[in-house]
Each structure stands twice: as C-alpha cells, then as structure tokens.
Amino acid sequence: MTAMPDNLTETPHTYAGGGLDLDVLDEILRSLRLTGGVVLDARFSGDYCVRAEFTPNHCSPWFPMPQTLISYHYVRSGHTTVLVEGMPPTRIEAGSIVIMPRNDAHRLASDPSVAPFDVDKISWITDEGVHRVALGTPGETTEVWCGFLGADEAAIHPLLEALPPMLTLNASDQQAEWVESSLRFLSAGNAPPDLVARLAELFLAQAIREYINRLPPSAKGWLSGLTDPAVSKALTIIHNRYAEELDVEMLAREAGVSRTVLGERFAELLNESPMRYCAQWRMRMACNLLRDSNQNTANVAYAVGFNSEAAFNRAFKREFGVPPATWKREAEEGARSAARALAANDSRPDLLVISGTPTSVNWISRYIGRFLDDNTDLQVQLDPNPNPISFDDDPVDCAIRFGENPPANLVVEELFRLEFTPMCSPEFLRKHHGIGGPDDLRSVPRVTPNDPWWERWWRHFGLERPEGSSRTVDLSAQLLDGAAAISGRGIALLSPLFWREELADGRLVRPLPHVLDGGGTYWLIYPKARAEWSKVWRFSKWLRALCEKAKAEPQASTAAA
C-alpha cells in the first residue's frame, strides 16, 4: 500500500506517484456530511457465508435509512472472501479493509458455495453494548469489524457514482496497529455516529486515492478529472471561492488553459460544464448552511455567491423543486420527527441512558459493571456523544459534559477539573530517549498537533509553536489520540484520570512530570424534574464516589527516559 499521509487530516496537496489533488477529494468528502453507525464485532469460523450489506434495521437505532450507504469491513485476523454480483471473488487478508461505496449487495464467506445467512439472525448486543455477530463451524477463525457511513440525498456527489462497487485498502503493520486500536474503542459500547464517521472517512479517502492513482492515463470519467491539472485546478477554485463572482474565463485563466479547452475537459471527464458544476456546488453548500446554521435565506444567498435573495430562491427551486425556506423547514421537521421516533423506540422504565463525551464514556464503561451488580433492576445504555444534548428531544436520562461554565436551568453536579499531561508508549519513549523537558516535544512526532491543548502547552512554557507539521496522525478526539499513542504513533496530550489503567499496566508512560489545567470541568447534568428519579440519583451517587476515588489515587510516576 502506498503510505498514508502521516497527518491524516492535513493531507499534502499532491499524492505521491500521481497528479491527484487531495484538497479537491477531501472537500468533496467533507461536503457529503457523512455520519456513521455502529461498529459490529464479527467472528466467523470454519464454513460460513453471511449477507453483509447494511439495511434499515441496522440504521434505525441512530438515524433513518439514508439515501446512500457506504459499508466497510476491516479484517483484523484470518481472512475472508468478498462476493459481489458481477465481480470475481476477492480474498481479503488480515489488516485489510474492504469498502462498498454504494452498499451493493455482497457476502462475506469462507467459500462461495456456502449458503448465506442474514446478519439480523446471527447478531446480538451484549450487556456492555457491543454489537456482535457469530457464524460458522469448527475451524479456522476470522475476525472482522463492520461499519457504515450514511449520506442524505442532498449531499450525493457524482464522485460516489463513479467509484467501482468495491474498494480495498491494505494497511501496513504500523498502520494496522492504530487502525485496530481505534476500531476496538469504537466497537465497545455504541460509539457516536460522528466519531465512527470520522475514522471511516479516513479509510474511504485513502482507498479512493489509491484507486485513482492506479487508473490508466487513458481513463475517462469523474475520477480521472481529479488527476487532470486544468480540471482539478478549476475544481479547487470552485470549492474554495464559490462565494465570489466566478466565470469560465477566470477559471480557465487560473487553470492555465483556454476557455474552450477547459470546457472540453469538463465535458469529457465530468460530463458537465464548469459553471454547471459551480452552480451545483453552491447549492450543496447552501443546503449545508440551511441545515446546520441559524442563518436566514438572505444570508445564505450571499454566503454562496448570489447578489440577491430572489436570484438564489429561483436557482434553489430549480435544483430542489421547493424554495430554500420550505426546504429548511421540511428538513428541520424531518429531523425532529426522526428524533421523536428514536426517543419512542428507546423509552424503557428500567433503562438508564447516559450520554457522555466519548472519552468519559470509555472510562466509565470500565467500571459500570459494579454499578449494575448493585442495581440489578436496571439496564444501562452508554451513549458516547460530544454534541449538545436536548433533554426534550434526545432519549437521554442524564449526561456527562465538559466545559468552562456549567449549563443553565439544569441540575449540575461537579465531578472533577480536567488536567492533561504528555503520554506515549514505552517503545516510543525508548526510540526518543532524549526527552528531558517541555521544549523537547517540539522535535518528536505528536498526535493531533492542532489540539488546543498543544497551544496551551507551548504558551505555558513560553515556547513558540513548532513550524511545519510533525509526522503523526490528527484524529481530534482524546479517545482516538490515546489509541494512537498506545500504538507508538507519537506523544499525545491526555488526561491522567481517564488513562490510569493504561499507565498502571505500562501501555502508556509519562515522559515528563508536568500536568496542566485542561481549561474546563466535567459535570453530571440532568433536568430538575429528574432529581427524584431513583435510577438517576443512584447513578449520581455511584459516579461521584467513583470520581472521588480516582482523584484520591496517587498519580502514575514519570517514566525514566
């Protein structure tokens, strides 16, 4: 496999071995507003065959069935054969990922002749919230993690239609280690859709890059357009400057070709004109703004390059059949209806649903069994979710949240002040044995170097931020940062309270003794009306005791460099 860029969110502008403009690809994938679903932990053995495409039943716990599903399978041990109609069987070895860009019907099998089972008939959810699948006869074992990405109709892009039914990605040993660590975290206890999507989007982007890089020079179509210098330059301008007055003459001039040549290249490769694509991209951005912000139609019109609200309304209606205000209202009502449906499905008097940041939920999940042992009448569902909670709309009983100031109009119980310190694997520290002070971290690989905590670190010690990018991953989530640090990818800034077990058993070490304030506090919050709910106050009492015990335990000592 061609090596992944070391910083997976700040990719270089060109791809080694080809002319692919990665900025264009990343912008297209971001515009899809992908969301992810559960990661299933599958175990197969001997003779087996399972229908592996995702269905509405798999999506319903998180969101309605999207118009487009992208499914993927990561083989962490053994091997499997992927069967797709119209394609030859493809054998996938351990450490490899297979991606189905349109969730085409497919099977995972030991042998194509084995009769297939439906996943729904061989899957279950454990008491810890892990989704498991098991099938087969006695024999060699294959372990697979499966997940999916979803995109709604307004976000569909011709790029997805241009991809083949199946993409494969073969990870190197080092890459496979952090991929497996990350997926293990995500598979444990219903990881939030946006966190699953974040990791899966990295797989998808890299698989597309490798596929495009293997296309012959004579290839035609949308994917080849990304490697054409003039077309990709024009696409970059459209994606980044769609709010400006753009015309074919300006695009051609900056792309270094004539208007005629640019038009011909667009027509040949993308099957549309530059300005038609520009119009579609503006409407894509408009949909995202209408759905994700509180801006009114006039502000959205100017934000996507229209000089008048009336012109924007006409263009939007031509594209989607309704005016933007109507589209926004229908989208909001659809989201509310979906939330109400999910809440109704999840409502159970003996079920305690706890929302928390992914890292806090990962920490609590290690000890929640003790709470269940003392409260046998309850079931607990942990919902890792970093986003704001609406107790009126979300099926959540209480939430664990982090911030500078406590939320208003809720019961707020302070749990602990967050701190952070550098951590890494023992192997990483042995390779970089010269770490003796804060300044030494400037010259070693760092995990998520754009994390605000790194800015706080440099500022606290009066150091300038290192120039350039360090060779590492950028995952923007402490849960994944810790997995990357454990696998030796670099130094991560982590909270000691959340990683005490890893520090205790030696999977993580602290190269420096410094501990800084994380800029906020963790609280347990819930509506005032629920203060008398038995399940809520029992959990509150247990959680506060857990936090007090963790704060009282001695800090792990600093590793000897």
Side-chain angles (χ1 to χ4, degrees):
M1 161 181 170
T2 305
M4 285 187 183
D6 292 297
N7 188 319
L8 291 174
T9 58
E10 296 182 4
T11 50
H13 287 256
T14 55
Y15 185 66
L20 173 60
D21 189 321
L22 299 189
D23 281 346
V24 174
L25 178 58
D26 290 339
E27 288 152 5
I28 292 171
L29 292 179
R30 282 196 297 269
S31 79
L32 295 177
R33 300 178 73 256
L34 297 171
T35 185
V38 63
V39 173
L40 283 79
D41 186 351
R43 181 184 178 91
F44 306 122
S45 61
D47 296 327
Y48 66 89
C49 182
V50 60
R51 295 185 182 94
E53 65 271 16
F54 282 89
T55 68
N57 288 338
H58 301 124
C59 304
S60 59
W62 296 274
F63 41 68
M65 179 73 169
Q67 285 85 354
T68 292
L69 270 181
I70 302 167
S71 55
Y72 61 90
H73 310 284
Y74 172 71
V75 181
R76 67 184 191 272
S77 71
H79 58 83
T80 191
T81 298
V82 184
L83 306 170
V84 182
E85 186 175 353
M87 297 183 66
T90 302
R91 182 182 170 101
I92 305 296
E93 302 288 346
S96 298
I97 303 167
V98 59
I99 301 170
M100 318 300 291
R102 291 176 297 279
N103 192 41
D104 286 298
H106 60 284
R107 291 170 287 158
L108 303 181
S110 59
D111 187 287
S113 63
V114 177
F117 276 78
D118 291 329
V119 168
D120 293 342
K121 297 179 180 179
I122 54 172
S123 64
W124 72 96
I125 302 176
T126 69
D127 292 339
E128 295 79 21
V130 179
H131 293 243
R132 296 197 188 279
V133 174
L135 180 66
T137 62
E140 183 180 0
T141 298
T142 295
E143 296 176 304
V144 183
W145 274 312
C146 310
F148 64 86
L149 291 164
D152 60 27
E153 186 175 14
I156 301 305
H157 191 279
L159 174 74
L160 292 181
E161 294 302 318
L163 291 171
M166 180 174 66
L167 297 171
T168 58
L169 188 62
N170 301 312
S172 68
D173 291 341
Q174 187 179 36
Q175 291 158 348
E177 186 174 357
W178 77 260
V179 167
E180 184 166 334
S181 298
S182 300
L183 280 172
R184 181 176 293 110
F185 275 122
L186 296 183
S187 69
N190 298 337
D194 53 353
L195 196 58
V196 178
R198 173 75 184 102
L199 186 63
E201 187 178 317
L202 302 179
F203 305 156
L204 177 63
Q206 184 64 14
I208 293 174
R209 290 170 187 142
E210 293 198 5
Y211 177 77
I212 294 175
N213 201 49
R214 293 193 298 267
L215 290 174
S218 59
K220 305 296 182 184
W222 228 102
L223 299 176
S224 296
L226 297 181
T227 64
D228 182 276
V231 172
S232 63
K233 178 64 176 178
L235 290 174
T236 298
I237 296 170
I238 292 171
H239 289 171
N240 289 288
R241 294 160 56 184
Y242 56 86
E244 302 176 14
E245 285 194 34
L246 303 179
D247 56 39
V248 177
E249 186 172 343
M250 186 275 282
L251 292 174
R253 182 172 62 252
E254 296 207 21
V257 296
S258 69
R259 293 178 52 180
T260 301
V261 169
L262 183 64
E264 290 175 347
R265 298 300 290 159
F266 261 75
E268 179 183 5
L269 297 174
L270 309 190
N271 199 32
E272 58 187 337
S273 69
M275 297 315 297
R276 174 57 184 157
Y277 181 81
C278 180
Q280 292 175 335
W281 186 261
R282 283 171 168 160
M283 291 300 102
R284 175 184 296 272
M285 296 298 102
C287 285
N288 290 346
L289 288 171
L290 289 168
R291 180 170 25 220
D292 299 337
S293 73
N294 293 322
Q295 297 187 55
N296 58 34
T297 303
N299 289 338
V300 172
Y302 291 114
V304 297
F306 285 83
N307 292 324
S308 77
E309 183 179 358
F312 171 64
N313 286 340
R314 290 193 296 270
F316 194 96
K317 187 172 183 179
R318 282 197 302 271
E319 190 73 23
F320 298 106
V322 294
T326 302
W327 187 94
K328 178 179 177 67
R329 186 167 58 253
E330 292 175 349
E332 291 174 344
E333 178 53 36
R336 285 192 294 268
S337 297
R340 287 193 295 268
L342 291 179
N345 291 337
D346 292 340
S347 178
R348 284 177 54 184
D350 58 344
L351 175 65
L352 176 62
V353 182
I354 307 160
S355 173
T357 62
T359 304
S360 67
V361 166
N362 178 62
W363 176 64
I364 290 172
S365 67
R366 303 176 183 185
Y367 311 103
I368 197 67
R370 302 173 189 173
F371 175 76
L372 291 171
D373 289 341
D374 295 334
N375 298 273
T376 55
D377 60 316
L378 290 179
Q379 297 183 46
V380 172
Q381 177 178 317
L382 297 177
D383 172 34
N385 184 356
N387 300 316
I389 287 293
S390 169
F391 286 103
D392 291 332
D393 298 326
D394 298 324
V396 170
D397 296 312
C398 56
I400 300 168
R401 284 296 177 265
F402 169 79
E404 290 277 2
N405 300 301
N409 302 319
L410 294 170
V411 175
V412 178
E413 301 181 15
E414 182 173 334
L415 299 177
F416 54 86
R417 185 76 180 176
L418 194 63
E419 298 175 321
F420 68 90
T421 188
M423 299 186 198
C424 62
S425 69
E427 294 77 11
F428 181 89
L429 189 59
R430 283 193 289 270
K431 292 179 182 178
H432 301 83
H433 52 79
I435 300 175
D439 187 47
D440 295 327
L441 301 189
R442 291 158 48 87
S443 59
V444 299
R446 300 180 303 283
V447 176
T448 310
N450 293 321
D451 188 328
W453 277 359
W454 280 113
E455 289 291 340
R456 188 181 290 257
W457 178 268
W458 308 130
R459 187 167 59 251
H460 178 85
F461 293 106
L463 302 172
E464 291 186 6
R465 179 179 178 175
E467 296 293 333
S469 60
S470 83
R471 293 177 54 79
T472 183
V473 295
D474 192 333
L475 294 170
S476 304
Q478 185 173 167
L479 191 149
L480 298 181
D481 289 350
I486 290 171
S487 64
R489 298 290 291 176
I491 296 275
L493 294 180
L494 303 173
S495 303
L497 185 144
F498 288 141
W499 302 91
R500 288 179 179 273
E501 291 192 6
E502 289 80 2
L503 289 167
D505 62 23
R507 282 178 288 165
L508 284 173
V509 296
R510 294 174 53 195
L512 297 172
H514 311 84
V515 179
L516 302 189
D517 182 78
T521 300
Y522 267 95
W523 296 284
L524 175 66
I525 61 174
Y526 48 88
K528 296 176 182 178
R530 301 180 189 178
E532 300 303 318
W533 288 11
S534 173
K535 62 182 181 181
V536 171
W537 65 255
R538 280 187 281 169
F539 175 71
S540 166
K541 181 180 178 180
W542 174 83
L543 179 60
R544 284 185 281 112
L546 177 66
C547 293
E548 290 303 317
K549 180 181 179 181
K551 288 186 287 187
E553 291 176 354
Q555 295 276 349
S557 59
T558 306

